[in-house]
Amino acid sequence: MNQSTEDTVTVSVGLGERAYDILIGAGLLARAGAEIAARLPGARAAVVTDENVAALHLRPLQEGLGAAGIGSTAITLPPGERSKSFGALEETVDGILGARLERRDFVIALGGGVVGDLAGFAAGIVRRGMNFVQVPTSLLAQVDSSVGGKTGINTGHGKNLIGVFHQPRLVLADTAALGTLPEREFRAGYAEVAKYGLIDRPDFFAWLENNWRDVFSGGTACTEAIARSCRAKAEIVERDERESGERALLNLGHTFGHALEAATGYDSARLVHGEGVAIGMVLAHRFSARVNLASPDDADRVEAHLRAVGLPTRLEHIPGALPDAEALLSYIAQDKKVSRGALTFILTHGIGRSFIAEDVPASEVLAFLRECQTQ
Amino acid sequence: MNQSTEDTVTVSVGLGERAYDILIGAGLLARAGAEIAARLPGARAAVVTDENVAALHLRPLQEGLGAAGIGSTAITLPPGERSKSFGALEETVDGILGARLERRDFVIALGGGVVGDLAGFAAGIVRRGMNFVQVPTSLLAQVDSSVGGKTGINTGHGKNLIGVFHQPRLVLADTAALGTLPEREFRAGYAEVAKYGLIDRPDFFAWLENNWRDVFSGGTACTEAIARSCRAKAEIVERDERESGERALLNLGHTFGHALEAATGYDSARLVHGEGVAIGMVLAHRFSARVNLASPDDADRVEAHLRAVGLPTRLEHIPGALPDAEALLSYIAQDKKVSRGALTFILTHGIGRSFIAEDVPASEVLAFLRECQTQ
Ligand SMILES: NC(=O)c1ccc[n+]([C@@H]2O[C@H](COP(=O)([O-])OP(=O)(O)OC[C@H]3O[C@@H](n4cnc5c(N)ncnc54)[C@H](O)[C@@H]3O)[C@@H](O)[C@H]2O)c1
Ligand SMILES: NC(=O)c1ccc[n+]([C@@H]2O[C@H](COP(=O)([O-])OP(=O)(O)OC[C@H]3O[C@@H](n4cnc5c(N)ncnc54)[C@H](O)[C@@H]3O)[C@@H](O)[C@H]2O)c1
Ligand SMILES: [Zn+2]
Ligand SMILES: [Zn+2]
């Protein structure tokens, strides 16, 4: 929250020659053309989006771009995690090249994390790197995926295993766009907001416990929660841009979460990413308590808060049958946070005191998962 | 040529934390395991290669790796430019992930520039960047494509339009492997050797005019030509790793060359990359003379030398019919060295005096191509 103009808050990501601003506030979508033209004069754009978001927000964006003299082409993909695929990547790249964009032109991601990850990857590889602007429209994308430059797609071997680091030149988080976001998606994004408190900001977690209703109703508390989240992520990314260490903390809840997403076949009717993270964070706290790293009271407090906002917190909250503990463990071992066969997890000493635990014995995890499933 | 042990010459590429060595000499393939184990202890490997090279050189490499305690999996693709595709990329990535390699493991490219560009791209995107080792087996790959970290694939929109910069950790250029390279491929690679003289090393070009027969018979003159080429390329890459300026000089002959490759449908029976570059370099010198930038004598000298070694130097040397000048120009405009609609070419003031020319009028190029076709 470095500066604030009217209701727009700016968070700066300090990455040297790759530094950029995140603007957060209502109405940024329509102003995107002006903000971009000020930074990338004379450039043209390809807007990558999904069908849901296109129907709601593509026109105001393209009109604003046009008013600022920026010609644009839209590339619209089916919504959902399945668009993070080689096929969709090829389609996106082809659309960008077909629009004859050059390296100084730019790619805009208009949508949630799926569109952001896919479009960012495409921007990172077309002509070995084009300018990229994030216009995140889901809460998850505004607080997490649009910040930090991780891009990628999924393969049969697991989530986000293929991609590049490619920082955006600008992030425009229009809080008004969240007005059309389904409640369930807003809640899922909220799991990542809470994550920052649980990683290393206990005060922020306490603030959320007291103010979550205001965050959910939009307005200044919502803008504040987004800005505090972006700042939390930016600080970690500034210290470890390419995840050689500390950045892995952002995966709190994600090792379990990704395994659950894989186990439910990335079927958003059953589980969306943030819901997997919510369950995963509770499991990470429970597991930490089980191996005597943290007090079970902390796990209870995390679960109570996530449950209060309406998030799932246990395996049994996922509709439909789950594979058994052995199968869940094999999804975990497949995940990228595996090193030399030993399991790496983000565990915790308590709320706001998470850490990277290497060499977590698979047998302990298996026993724990068995307990979770028979509760 | 920083140091020389017995017959192995080392060229160091000074790129700060991405610095690496290029070792050049006979027998490096069998020693690759030892050289790699010294630099990347405890890692496992995926060897990406093509069917031709696999039949000749895969076994000694894998045996050498095994002897050094490095387990490896081979991923073998069909030979030829068509393997620089999304489909082959997906297959390669899938093979690497299927071998359960982690970020600290590494990918080896064993083969020519096609395998190097494809495997390097795959290594650059799996887990957002894995270790990568180049074991180039064609002359072109030893002097050019294995150095400098450019990787990529082709699309319907043009050559090498998709890719990343991903530097290798080590390059092992076994000059003995060139013994099995078809004569035509050796000659094609020689075009890139001559290119370094034409860019900014007139003495090297003169040396080649006198010594090319020795270069073609292998032995120390061949090692020397490779090492001087690698040093020439390394110096340009050190000054401009990501091609924001000077590195574009390496594209001398390539704007025309790529258009000819596209116009012949990447059919290696008609034209291989280095042959396209040979013709392209002559055309760049002729065009420079036509617009009074250089003396026609220089173009004659370039053509005489390339013809002496047996390379094609004119459009009419390409077997089969070519599209007309307009169509060739549209392939050129498609190429990535296009900026705001104006054509960017590498032109020259004479041998060893090339430069980046922006805003070359398309009409001049068109008139020139028409003349070339009616000669
Ligand atoms: N790159 C990173 O650092 C990072 C970090 C966290 C998550 N992610 C990735 O983000 C993805 C999840 O992001 P997500 O939750 O935004 O998913 P998403 O992009 O699928 O969006 C969720 C749903 O909301 C819809 N939607 C988005 N904005 C809307 C709006 N304003 N109004 C109405 N509908 C809207 C979408 O069409 C979609 O159906 C996952 O693929 C995850 O791996 C990436
Ligand atoms: N990345 C870069 O900086 C860069 C620079 C220049 C060229 N390139 C790329 O390099 C490619 C051309 O490279 P290339 O000419 O090596 O093509 P290539 O990889 O197709 O190899 C040429 C042929 O020689 C065969 N071959 C290779 N080594 C052999 C050996 N030792 N014995 C027998 N056969 C062998 C291959 O199987 C193939 O049939 C093009 O795709 C071009 O775009 C990239
Ligand atoms: Zn997440
Ligand atoms: Zn070349």
Side-chain angles (χ1 to χ4, degrees), chain A residues 42-103:
Chain A
R44 291 185 303 132
V47 183
V48 182
T49 188
D50 74 24
E51 286 155 11
N52 295 341
V53 179
L56 296 160
H57 302 293
L58 180 58
R59 212 172 132 184
L61 176 70
Q62 285 198 296
E63 283 176 358
L65 289 171
I70 301 172
S72 64
T73 317
I75 301 164
T76 304
L77 297 152
E81 193 65 38
R82 280 161 211 256
S83 282
K84 281 175 59 174
S85 66
F86 260 104
L89 178 70
E90 189 170 357
E91 197 180 321
T92 305
V93 154
D94 203 63
I96 295 168
L97 289 171
R100 299 227 173 189
L101 295 197
E102 299 162 18
R103 222 157 120 179

Side-chain angles (χ1 to χ4, degrees), chain A residues 113 138-146 181 185 188-190 192 273-274:
Chain A
S138 72
L139 180 61
L140 185 142
Q142 295 191 352
V143 300
D144 190 353
S145 60
S146 70
L181 190 68
E185 294 293 348
Y190 184 86
E192 307 273 12
H273 177 76

